[in-house]
Amino acid sequence: MPDRRSALRAGAGLAVAGALVTACSSGDSDAQSAARASGPAQSAAPSTQVAAPAPRAFPRQPTQITHGPRDRPRVALTFHGQGDPSYARSILAAAEKKGAKLTVLAVGTWLDAHPDLARRVLDGGHDLGNHTQHHIGVNTLPDKEALAEIQGCADRLDKLTGSIGTWFRPSRAPRATPRVERLARRVGYPHVLSYDVDSLDYTSPGAPAITRKVLGEIRGGSVVSLHFGYADTVAAFPTLLHELDRRGFTAVTTTELLS
């Protein structure tokens, strides 16, 4: 009997051990599967995505910048980042095919809807900046609401790219008021980016009219206002790039224009 009881205890011990091994193996497998599913994606992001450039001060430039140096044949093509994402991708691809660099001022709600576009812009070598969270008339808002518009978009950019973006441009106005300039500095933008050439593409005048308007006013150092969200702009863009090149102009980021 003692021998039999010993044998039974030994057998029970082996069974429990086997069950524990099975349970631990199953747990390890689940943990490994979870690690494969989530671990690499989370850990790879910081190593593969370098933080985007931060805003910088240009000591020789005013707080509100409308153009760069006039003595060089370089221009900045700046785009309000909003609208159909396929239009944005088409314009970015056309620019990169020609070696042109752009500046994109993104609306925060647009980034919320299409977060991949923040990195798409940066990966193409373009500047990325802040065009407020909801694209409303920031100059007309009380301080608290105006600050929230600037800060809200800055937060989106920081979350997606590790930076609040290199530039701030006011929404629904070609220039910021002195009060909005101060609020932008409070968020971290030393300058406000305006422009000296308005393409008027948001009026949908047709591709030829956009091209004529820009080419009729552009000169060395110009900052041009364009929009992603209009089919006429997409249609005009290849011709515009070709004509700029033919006239000896190079399209660079605003950071390059001022450097």
Side-chain angles (χ1 to χ4, degrees):
M1 286 297 292
D3 290 340
R4 186 181 177 192
R5 283 196 298 271
S6 298
L8 288 171
R9 282 195 298 269
L14 288 172
V16 171
L20 289 171
V21 169
T22 302
C24 290
S25 297
S26 175
D28 289 346
S29 177
D30 291 342
Q32 289 166 357
S33 297
R36 282 193 296 270
S38 62
Q42 292 173 349
S43 60
S47 61
T48 57
Q49 293 187 354
V50 178
R56 56 180 282 198
F58 293 87
R60 297 182 181 180
Q61 294 294 333
T63 299
Q64 192 140 199
I65 295 170
T66 57
H67 63 82
R70 294 298 194 187
D71 58 349
R72 287 177 284 181
R74 303 195 302 177
V75 297
L77 304 178
T78 68
F79 282 83
H80 299 233
Q82 195 177 27
D84 188 333
S86 68
Y87 291 175
R89 293 189 180 98
S90 178
I91 287 170
L92 290 167
E96 289 153 18
K97 184 177 180 181
K98 286 286 192 179
K101 301 300 182 185
L102 312 179
T103 299
V104 178
L105 293 313
V107 175
T109 53
W110 188 67
L111 293 175
D112 289 340
H114 312 289
D116 60 301
L117 284 174
R119 276 286 161 187
R120 172 65 186 87
V121 170
L122 293 170
D123 289 346
H126 312 288
D127 273 0
L128 180 63
N130 178 332
H131 196 38
T132 73
Q133 180 60 19
H134 296 97
H135 200 257
I136 56 180
V138 67
N139 284 343
T140 66
L141 297 175
D143 283 9
K144 184 177 179 180
E145 286 83 352
L147 180 62
E149 280 295 311
I150 302 169
Q151 187 69 62
C153 187
D155 291 343
R156 266 45 168 205
L157 288 165
D158 189 42
K159 181 179 179 181
L160 292 170
T161 72
S163 164
I164 64 171
T166 47
W167 300 101
F168 166 72
R169 172 172 286 169
S171 48
R172 303 283 182 180
R175 294 180 60 85
T177 62
R179 181 175 61 89
V180 169
E181 286 182 7
R182 290 194 297 272
L183 294 173
R185 284 198 299 271
R186 184 170 161 187
V187 174
Y189 301 99
H191 300 282
V192 171
L193 182 59
S194 184
Y195 45 87
D196 65 322
V197 178
D198 189 347
S199 68
L200 298 180
D201 59 346
Y202 58 89
T203 65
S204 298
I210 293 170
T211 305
R212 283 195 305 271
K213 179 74 162 60
V214 173
L215 294 176
E217 298 179 13
I218 202 166
R219 53 193 178 119
S222 281
V223 176
V224 184
S225 172
L226 295 147
H227 295 73
F228 274 158
Y230 296 88
D232 286 354
T233 311
V234 179
F237 196 60
T239 301
L240 179 58
L241 288 178
H242 174 75
E243 286 300 316
L244 289 174
D245 183 61
R246 190 176 69 83
R247 297 179 186 202
F249 288 112
T250 301
V252 298
T253 66
T254 306
T255 300
E256 293 174 297
L257 185 72
L258 300 171
S259 297

